Amino acid sequence: MSSPLSSLYTELVIEHDKRPLHAGLREPFTSEVHHVNPTCGDEITLRLQLTDGRTRIEDVSYDAVGCAMSRASASIMADLLIGRTTAEVEPVQEHFEAAMRSRGRLAGDEELIGDGIALLGAAKFPARVKCVLMSWKAYQAALVEAQTLGA
Amino acid sequence: MSAPSREFDVEAIRADFPILTRMLDPDTPMIYLDGGATSQRPRQVIDAEVSYLYSDNAAVKRGAHRMAGLATDAYEGARERIAEFIGAPSPDEVVFTKNATEALNLVAHSLGSGDASTPPRLRVREGDEILVTEMEHHANLVPWQELARRTGATLRWIPVADDFTLDLTDLDSLVTERTKVIAFTHQSNVLGTLNPVGRLVEAARGVGALTVLDAAQSAPHMPFDVAELGVDLVALSGHKMLGPTGIGVLWGRYELLEQMPPFLTGGSMIELVDMERSTFAEPPARFEAGTPPISQAVGLAAACDYLDALGMEQIAAHEKALTQQALAGLAGIDGVRIIGPALSAERSGAVSFDVAGRHPHDVGQVLDSLGIEVRVGHHCAWPLHRRFGVHGTTRASFSVHTTAAEVDAFVDGVAHTIDFFGSLS
């Protein structure tokens, strides 16, 4: 096994892929989005439940079909988001996305992105960046939808 | 391991493909098993294109200078060569397009032009039916969906049976007096299945429907003759037959092309132009608006020379032996399910498979770490994957330069992939 491959399929990624956290679609939810990666056909349906005047993420539930990277990413992301405010999450999401798009130049701040650090191996595989970011894009879209609902 | 035929010298062929010496890591040679997506090009094809650009390049069919004449000769010479390669009775039946997708769109748009002066046989209208198959590449599905949407025609399809061949049980009720077009692939880019062209042509002729054949996957891999096939229109891809990207071919019977309205319009395709209206040139010029892919046509003609020199029968036999080897090898690996027919006369060298519990991206990633380049995903045939309950597949496709040792490495690689993920759980 060559080392780049083990930097991609880290123990944490495999663990999240096999036993994803917060998986499954739950109610109630403020918004729901469905995202597809048309090149590989991967899909995610993501529900976001906001409280406290739509500032606190009470729940993120999802149904994801995809590769190990995309499934692990959804699991890690949901775990990072739930229980925090959307404002707290914003720098997490920005830092994670920047690191993912850095082709490995940005090491990533574990304080900020927690288990998300385990996904950064994919940053060196340009074809896999989209796999990892699909759930994060879904969250962003769900957030926009939730915050503009009836606004 | 089955040896290729004596006269088919794979090592000599490999020496013609400069890219095959490339290393992916210092100790990882590149094993290219993705000719189904795009083929690698032999030096002869690259050189032909470069040589044209070095010595004869100019705009074709305009200008009176000598260079324009040289360029036009090269371009029209390429048309003649391709006509010969596919058994077309006349080079005027060969239309150059951007790719096979554009060739299919050309037909779909022309048939839906709404031009009242077009004979009814070449007009798709409300109430008409367009018949495709469930195994089509999106390129031979979406243009027909769109034609149906624009015209009010109905899209119907021949289902795929559990044995990965077309289910022709209900063909008699699927082909009706309303059927205007039957569009189908010659060889599935996913399954490798070769379709019964004669049977579908016969059904189409019975009701006066046109047949449109997507030959992007077949023509590079077996003897291919449009006259023998009996279809009306054929789409080909340059870059899947050892040729350049940016060029495809539409072949059509001249008596049909002659009556078909243009798709793209503009320069080079006109007869007379005034400020209010224009009349159009005869085929093939009518369907070649704008400056065409000239050096690409020259490269494609060189690809035809290259393929013919190897012999299409020999290429087919070589790839069949590799396919047999791959299918036998994969059959011995627990958890691998081939999405395609067992080896028979009706199959060729695209081998797609599912690895239980593993997403094809993950499978492809591990194979890539071994230098083995395969295609993963739905291969632009999403409905077909749904039909077989898989989200995507991993596909190896074999070419003239593929060796038995590479197929062994691929089969070992799939086994290694399963072990790799097994060791992580």
Side-chain angles (χ1 to χ4, degrees), chain A residues 1-2 5-6 8-9 14 17-18 36-43 65-69 125 127-128 131, chain B residues 25 357-359 361-363 365-366 368-369 375-379 382 386 391-392 416 420-421 423-425:
Chain A
M1 174 199 333
S2 63
L5 202 58
S6 41
L8 192 59
Y9 297 106
I14 296 297
D17 175 38
K18 289 183 68 176
V36 175
N37 179 345
T39 57
C40 57
D42 290 352
E43 296 181 46
V65 183
C67 61
M69 299 310 301
F125 296 84
R128 306 304 296 273
C131 309
Chain B
D25 294 309
R358 275 297 142 202
H359 190 279
H361 258 195
D362 295 323
V363 175
Q365 192 79 57
V366 180
D368 175 67
S369 75
R375 175 84 184 261
V376 296
H378 53 55
H379 318 304
W382 217 334
R386 286 201 195 94
H391 212 67
H416 168 83
F420 173 78
F421 287 113
S423 72
L424 295 177
S425 23

Side-chain angles (χ1 to χ4, degrees), chain B residues 84-100:
Chain B
E84 184 199 344
F85 184 77
I86 62 172
S90 160
D92 291 339
E93 297 187 337
V94 170
V95 176
F96 287 123
T97 60
K98 178 175 74 182
N99 47 32

Side-chain angles (χ1 to χ4, degrees), chain A residues 28-32 47-51 54 142 145-147 149:
Chain A
F29 57 94
T30 319
S31 64
E32 178 184 283
R47 288 177 178 177
L48 179 63
Q49 170 66 3
L50 296 182
T51 54
R54 294 179 190 163
E145 196 172 308
Q147 292 186 329
L149 272 177

